[in-house]
Amino acid sequence: MSGAAVNSQRGQLLSDTLATAKSEGRSALIAYLPAGFPTVDGGIEAIKAVIDGGADVVEVGLPHSDPVLDGPVIQTADDIALRGGVKIADVMRTVREAHEATGNPILVMTYWNPIDRYGVERFTAELAEAGGAGCILPDLPVQESALWREHAEKHGLATVFVVAPSSKDERLAQITAAGSGFVYAASLMGVTGTRATVSSQAKDLVERTRATGTGLPVCVGLGVSNATQAAEVAGFADGVIVGSAFVKAMLDAPDDAAGVEAVRALAGDLAKGVRGRA
């Protein structure tokens, strides 16, 4: 099979997975866990566990020393990973082993600076070779994304942009026109973290994003931590994104093995939520 054909298959996997969830009358469950947390091997086992528990898609976080979107829970995990010496090569290994073991789409969520320093062509080529489905780039402005998108498209990688309640309609249209895979709708202004209630702004943001005419699924993140909240968001979004709750479950566990079981159980609970069985 040619490289182009493999890229095409990989680029289609994320879209197909989200479409399958929709055909089943439910939202997709998208889980986030940072690479290298608690260790590289432990992080890979945790990702396998959340997929085994019911996650459809996984975002692998590339730990960063200045995570502007991430709250204290994910910052703590990133600090552990960085102190452990995690490198981009470990992120690629995490993507490769998680995808090979499960067949599910695995994305990388990263700030722009590490990619810029590593080299866009090198990063996209290695991510594609590892079987990655694409990237979520929360701090890359659409108007500065042409170089990234050129290389991502060459390698069949999705480019997921983040929209926020503060995004004006004109801005939403620009973002949805440039992105691929899905649109990440941040449900509130602020950083990641678990919250007692889902922001009332989330549904409005989803509706405004869809009103741009985009055919991309709109998935909601920031604040979802339990099955009840997942079911609420699943009522209006194509995907429910959960990160801090998974990381907190691992941080609170007495040991790494217990952490893996905790995230497996949480994924199972959230999977019931997105299916309306919470």
Side-chain angles (χ1 to χ4, degrees), residues 34-37 39-41 44 47 60-63 81-82 84-98 106 108 110 114-115 117-119 122-132:
F37 167 72
T39 61
V40 176
D41 288 341
I44 292 167
I47 291 168
V60 174
L62 194 160
L82 291 167
V86 70
K87 301 286 192 294
I88 287 179
D90 299 311
V91 177
M92 298 300 178
R93 180 186 151 212
T94 299
V95 170
R96 175 181 291 104
E97 294 194 16
I106 312 293
V108 169
T110 178
I115 294 177
R117 294 205 328 251
Y118 197 72
R122 180 184 177 194
F123 189 94
T124 52
E126 289 183 8
L127 181 56
E129 192 276 328

Side-chain angles (χ1 to χ4, degrees), residues 225-271:
S225 61
N226 58 51
T228 301
Q229 292 173 340
E232 181 184 346
V233 173
F236 58 82
D238 298 298
V240 179
I241 304 169
V242 181
S244 294
F246 283 116
V247 175
K248 186 175 187 300
M250 293 188 69
L251 287 170
D252 290 348
D255 55 53
D256 292 356
V260 168
E261 291 312 308
V263 295
R264 190 193 315 274
L266 177 58
D269 193 40
L270 292 163

Side-chain angles (χ1 to χ4, degrees), residues 202-225:
K203 186 175 183 181
D204 175 67
L205 178 58
V206 170
E207 289 173 351
R208 289 198 299 120
T209 303
R210 285 184 177 144
T212 65
T214 181
L216 295 175
V218 184
C219 304
V220 170
L222 271 64
V224 176
S225 61

Side-chain angles (χ1 to χ4, degrees), residues 2 16 18 27 40 56 87 110 123 132 136 146 186 197:
S2 72
D16 287 349
L18 294 169
S27 287
V40 176
D56 301 288
K87 301 286 192 294
T110 178
F123 189 94
I136 301 168
T197 59

Side-chain angles (χ1 to χ4, degrees), residues 65-226:
S65 57
D66 186 26
V68 293
L69 185 69
D70 297 320
V73 170
I74 291 176
Q75 284 187 27
T76 299
D78 278 4
D79 286 344
I80 291 169
L82 291 167
R83 286 202 304 271
V86 70
K87 301 286 192 294
I88 287 179
D90 299 311
V91 177
M92 298 300 178
R93 180 186 151 212
T94 299
V95 170
R96 175 181 291 104
E97 294 194 16
H99 176 62
E100 287 179 351
T102 66
N104 289 57
I106 312 293
L107 297 145
V108 169
M109 186 165 188
T110 178
Y111 298 100
W112 178 246
N113 191 45
I115 294 177
D116 193 38
R117 294 205 328 251
Y118 197 72
V120 177
E121 169 58 26
R122 180 184 177 194
F123 189 94
T124 52
E126 289 183 8
L127 181 56
E129 192 276 328
C135 255
I136 301 168
L137 301 159
D139 67 339
L140 178 63
V142 171
Q143 62 270 27
E144 297 174 20
S145 68
L147 178 65
W148 163 266
R149 286 187 287 129
E150 175 191 341
H151 289 290
E153 287 166 13
K154 182 169 75 173
H155 292 290
L157 300 170
T159 297
V160 179
F161 289 114
V162 179
V163 298
S166 61
S167 302
K168 305 297 184 192
D169 290 349
E170 181 182 0
R171 178 80 173 152
L172 288 177
Q174 293 172 342
I175 292 170
T176 58
S180 56
F182 65 90
V183 181
Y184 186 128
S187 66
L188 42 77
M189 301 304 294
V191 296
T192 59
T194 61
R195 290 173 173 83
T197 59
V198 175
S199 166
S200 59
Q201 297 173 307
K203 186 175 183 181
D204 175 67
L205 178 58
V206 170
E207 289 173 351
R208 289 198 299 120
T209 303
R210 285 184 177 144
T212 65
T214 181
L216 295 175
V218 184
C219 304
V220 170
L222 271 64
V224 176
S225 61
N226 58 51

